[in-house]
């Protein structure tokens, strides 16, 4: 299984994924690290990415996911996955992927973004993230996790909700 922690910028994807990876012993990839430099530069300059900008990045995210699935290794990756079409690329195989949607209000996430320093994504782009967001629908492989509690509590809730406590042997399904 590959968990894709998704949601708008600033929702806590990286923090929660790192906690999950530590708890479960699963491989973790920071999806932002897969962006081409041109995307990082565009966002740092205050310009939102468009669908065309995101395609090479989404393909790299999907490749990482498939590498885990092909090797029979569990994993975690962060990816905003804002639109259904993006999630379809990431889950191009149609199985083995579960999107963990970290959902919060614009006000809550804006406050989290204001406290974040040194990230390429400026808080001014948060509105564009919410404008692009198509929340996952019941027919997609997903769970919705509300923001508010501390990241460690959210991570623990995800492990409990998905019954993952026994899936911790080096990232291999037990």
């Amino acid at each position: 299984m590959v968990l894709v922690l998704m949601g708008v910028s600033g929702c806590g994807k990286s923090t929660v994924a790192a906690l999950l990876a530590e708890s479960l012993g699963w491989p973790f990839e920071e999806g932002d690290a897969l962006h081409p430099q041109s995307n990082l530069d565009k966002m740092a300059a205050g310009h939102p990415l468009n669908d065309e900008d995101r395609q090479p990045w989404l393909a790299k995210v999907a490749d990482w996911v498939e590498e885990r699935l092909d090797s029979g290794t569990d994993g975690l990756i962060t990816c905003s996955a804002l639109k259904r079409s993006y999630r379809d690329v990431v889950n191009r195989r149609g199985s083995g992927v579960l999107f963990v949607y970290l959902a919060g209000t614009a006000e809550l996430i804006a406050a989290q973004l204001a406290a974040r320093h040194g990230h390429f994504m400026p808080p001014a782009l948060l509105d564009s993230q919410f404008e692009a967001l198509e929340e996952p629908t019941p027919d997609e492989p997903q769970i919705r996790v509300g923001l508010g509690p501390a990241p460690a509590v959210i991570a623990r809730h995800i492990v409990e909700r998905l019954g993952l406590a026994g899936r911790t042997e080096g990232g291999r399904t037990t």
Side-chain angles (χ1 to χ4, degrees):
M1 174 189 309
V2 175
L3 300 181
V4 179
L5 278 82
M6 63 158 289
V8 299
S9 181
C11 71
K13 296 181 294 288
S14 299
T15 302
V16 173
L19 291 166
L20 285 169
E22 182 179 332
S23 168
L24 297 169
W26 290 11
F28 165 49
E29 179 66 48
E30 173 55 62
D32 284 343
L34 302 177
H35 271 294
Q37 188 61 45
S38 58
N39 283 4
L40 299 177
D41 293 344
K42 185 173 183 177
M43 288 183 283
H47 305 291
L49 300 180
N50 59 37
D51 290 350
E52 185 177 325
D53 297 325
R54 288 186 175 103
Q55 288 311 309
W57 169 64
L58 292 167
K60 285 184 177 184
V61 170
D63 289 345
W64 190 91
V65 167
E66 285 200 339
E67 287 170 12
R68 302 290 80 67
L69 296 174
D70 287 345
S71 68
T73 305
D74 297 315
L76 297 138
I77 190 166
T78 58
C79 176
S80 55
L82 297 174
K83 294 183 179 181
R84 171 74 179 250
S85 61
Y86 303 168
R87 294 187 294 275
D88 289 345
V89 171
V90 171
N91 188 24
R92 62 188 174 205
R93 184 173 288 186
S95 65
V97 173
L98 181 71
F99 293 95
V100 179
Y101 172 39
L102 300 180
T105 65
E107 295 77 22
L108 174 65
I109 295 172
Q112 291 179 186
L113 272 175
R116 182 167 76 175
H117 300 288
H119 195 272
F120 64 86
M121 180 80 162
L125 290 182
L126 181 59
D127 287 343
S128 70
Q129 293 266 297
F130 273 103
E131 288 169 12
L133 178 63
E134 297 171 1
E135 292 193 2
T137 58
D139 65 318
E140 295 180 80
Q142 55 88 21
I143 63 166
R144 179 187 178 105
V145 179
L147 300 178
V153 173
I154 292 172
R156 213 169 27 252
H157 173 73
I158 292 167
V159 168
E160 291 168 2
R161 186 164 171 195
L162 298 177
L164 297 176
R167 293 178 69 136
T168 59
E169 291 184 18
R172 294 236 176 239
T173 303
T174 60

